[in-house]
Amino acid sequence: MRQRSLIAITAALAAGALTLTACGSRDDDGGSDSGSGGTKVIIGVDAPLTGDLSALGLGIKNSVDLAAKTANKEKYVEGVTFEIQALDDQAQPASGQQNATKLVANDDVLGVVGPLNSSVAESMQKVFDDAKLVQVSPANTNPALTQGQDWQTNKARTYKSYFRTATTDAIQGPFAAQYVFNDAKKKKVFVIDDKKTYGAGLAATFSAEFEKLGGKIVGTEHIDPETKDFSSVATKVKSSGADVVYYGGEYPQAGPLSKQIKAAGAKIPLVGGDGIYSADFIKLAGASGTGDLATSVGAPVEELPSAQEFVSNYKTEGYKEAYEAYGGYSYDSAWAIIEAVKKVVDDNNGELPDDAREKITAAMQNVSFDGVTGKVSFDEFGDATNKQLTVYSVEGGDWKAAKSGTYEG
């Protein structure tokens, strides 16, 4: 956890921000058009805008849109008008790669926010890096994206154009294990994952820490994320004697899994990462989801003094979808790009240089500001310096914060 206290939100969100109004219509790619003059800079957005994970993806898109509108309203970068171009990856790596190629081909795109899924990010990184186009994810948590495949023994940054405002599973998994073992007093865990980059990686870091603490893994299983019938796995959980289940994966599977585990007679909590921290998990799990737990990056946005105006402005803007788990981080990811653009423009006598993409990518490394989620800056790997996490519990049909902190490794 960042030990410094949270500071009020950046001046760009301050004076007059509560009265934000819409700045124009959306284009065919889901972007925003401010309708004003000046140099146009497009911030690309890649996320699942349709399908099972669209609740999270639409929250990402809307929050980036709000950042662009705020920058335009405040004239934060003199002479520059920001727009967004949002593309749907449907949580599929192949679609993400196609979207990356499309965004690179648009010369007006000078930064990209996204994606949601670590597996999708893997397919996009080289495309963006070859084009020197900066990418800032609000949600990717797999450590290998920034620190290389051998991150546990030899950290090495592969792509200098990739950054993220979310902390990694190297912290999130162990943080959950410490809470489950020390706070929830659970000693026997059944570990399940969906075999995808995010889920398998998260389950692995949780498992290693849980065993290190003295806990026992009484069973492991992989599920097919394309199915919703987990009855056989639920039976194995019941017979294992586990007093808790840890699931590495996302809410479309986690909700039904939790429900079926309880129905099989195992009245034990299911615990997961930020991939299950969604209102849709609660809908899918039903009443039996009460007591289930999820970790998510950062502190609860609603409780941060720095986020009050973001929450208010988002509501005022009238977006149909909630900002969800990554709204604040998406806004801050977009604002990091805006800050980098401002630096490059200021250093070039108020104009964008011909090599704007390369210079913006370089400028991102030193971006630092007080954002919605707290202090936003990046370390030598492009990872967020803010390592804060929160455990949430399902209570009364909603997620309630149970504990915030950091992994004490």
Side-chain angles (χ1 to χ4, degrees):
M1 179 186 292
R2 185 185 69 264
Q3 296 302 318
R4 66 179 72 88
S5 61
L6 288 168
I7 307 170
I9 198 166
T10 183
L13 284 176
L18 288 176
T19 57
L20 273 176
T21 57
C23 294
S25 61
R26 299 172 194 277
D27 62 30
D28 292 339
D29 284 317
S32 60
D33 182 356
S34 73
S36 59
T39 301
K40 179 171 69 175
V41 169
I42 294 177
I43 299 175
V45 181
D46 178 86
L49 305 179
T50 59
D52 287 345
L53 294 172
S54 60
L56 297 177
L58 291 167
I60 290 172
K61 171 195 165 188
N62 293 344
S63 299
V64 176
D65 186 67
L66 181 59
K69 288 176 177 176
T70 301
N72 292 338
K73 178 180 174 64
E74 299 296 324
K75 293 183 171 58
Y76 194 70
V77 184
E78 194 65 38
V80 170
T81 297
F82 291 96
E83 301 177 11
I84 76 164
Q85 181 182 5
L87 301 181
D88 181 11
D89 63 29
Q90 298 178 317
Q92 297 298 318
S95 296
Q97 189 172 68
Q98 291 169 3
N99 290 347
T101 300
K102 182 175 181 179
L103 291 168
V104 164
N106 186 344
D107 291 338
D108 290 332
V109 176
L110 298 185
V112 177
V113 175
L116 169 70
N117 306 85
S118 292
S119 57
V120 176
E122 286 179 318
S123 75
M124 306 175 84
Q125 284 181 301
K126 188 176 188 303
V127 178
F128 288 138
D129 203 63
D130 287 348
K132 298 180 172 60
L133 179 59
V134 74
Q135 171 188 14
V136 188
S137 173
N140 299 158
T141 54
N142 187 275
L145 295 171
T146 47
Q147 300 172 22
Q149 293 299 323
D150 299 325
W151 62 271
Q152 290 173 303
T153 56
N154 182 32
K155 293 181 175 62
R157 187 173 186 179
T158 308
Y159 300 109
K160 291 185 178 179
S161 65
Y162 179 87
F163 297 80
R164 55 180 152 198
T165 53
T167 195
T168 74
D169 294 334
I171 298 170
Q172 183 175 196
F175 179 74
Q178 290 188 350
Y179 182 87
V180 170
F181 188 86
N182 295 326
D183 296 81
K185 307 298 183 184
K186 305 296 185 184
K187 310 303 179 185
K188 296 183 292 182
V189 65
F190 196 105
V191 179
I192 305 169
D193 72 66
D194 61 3
K195 297 187 286 188
K196 296 198 289 187
T197 301
Y198 164 74
L202 187 58
T205 59
F206 171 90
S207 297
E209 180 70 13
F210 193 76
E211 287 188 307
K212 180 176 150 185
L213 292 168
K216 184 178 180 181
I217 297 174
V218 296
T220 60
E221 191 64 70
H222 306 291
I223 63 152
D224 178 1
E226 297 303 316
T227 184
K228 294 295 190 292
D229 181 4
F230 307 117
S231 55
S232 63
V233 177
T235 300
K236 290 179 183 178
V237 171
K238 174 67 169 64
S239 62
S240 72
D243 54 13
V244 65
V245 171
Y246 188 82
Y247 176 64
E250 296 152 333
Y251 66 81
Q253 296 74 39
L257 178 63
S258 171
K259 192 172 188 176
Q260 291 172 44
I261 287 172
K262 272 80 164 180
K267 308 299 184 182
I268 58 178
L270 180 142
V271 183
D274 54 322
I276 80 167
Y277 178 55
S278 169
D280 283 19
F281 169 84
I282 298 173
K283 293 176 187 175
L284 292 167
S288 61
T290 298
D292 286 348
L293 301 166
T295 53
S296 191
V297 293
V301 168
E302 296 83 356
E303 297 177 11
L304 294 173
S306 55
Q308 290 176 1
E309 288 176 281
F310 164 76
V311 174
S312 177
N313 292 345
Y314 193 96
K315 183 177 180 180
T316 299
E317 198 59 47
Y319 296 111
K320 294 178 182 178
E321 306 85 11
Y323 50 79
E324 287 280 352
Y326 305 107
Y329 289 89
S330 302
Y331 188 103
D332 284 347
S333 294
W335 202 264
I337 293 170
I338 291 166
E339 289 282 358
V341 170
K342 178 174 173 57
K343 169 66 173 171
V344 170
V345 168
D346 288 349
D347 288 350
N348 194 52
N349 300 314
E351 296 182 355
L352 283 169
D354 292 337
D355 59 347
R357 282 182 174 175
E358 183 174 3
K359 281 191 165 60
I360 288 167
T361 297
M364 184 64 68
Q365 189 62 55
N366 296 314
V367 160
S368 180
F369 62 97
D370 301 315
V372 170
T373 59
K375 188 70 174 181
V376 177
S377 60
F378 307 99
D379 66 15
E380 68 270 29
F381 299 103
D383 283 327
T385 56
N386 184 349
K387 310 295 185 183
Q388 191 170 21
L389 289 155
T390 299
V391 176
Y392 295 87
S393 175
V394 178
E395 299 175 19
D398 202 0
W399 289 108
K400 304 293 184 184
K403 183 177 182 178
S404 292
T406 56
Y407 164 54
E408 301 296 336

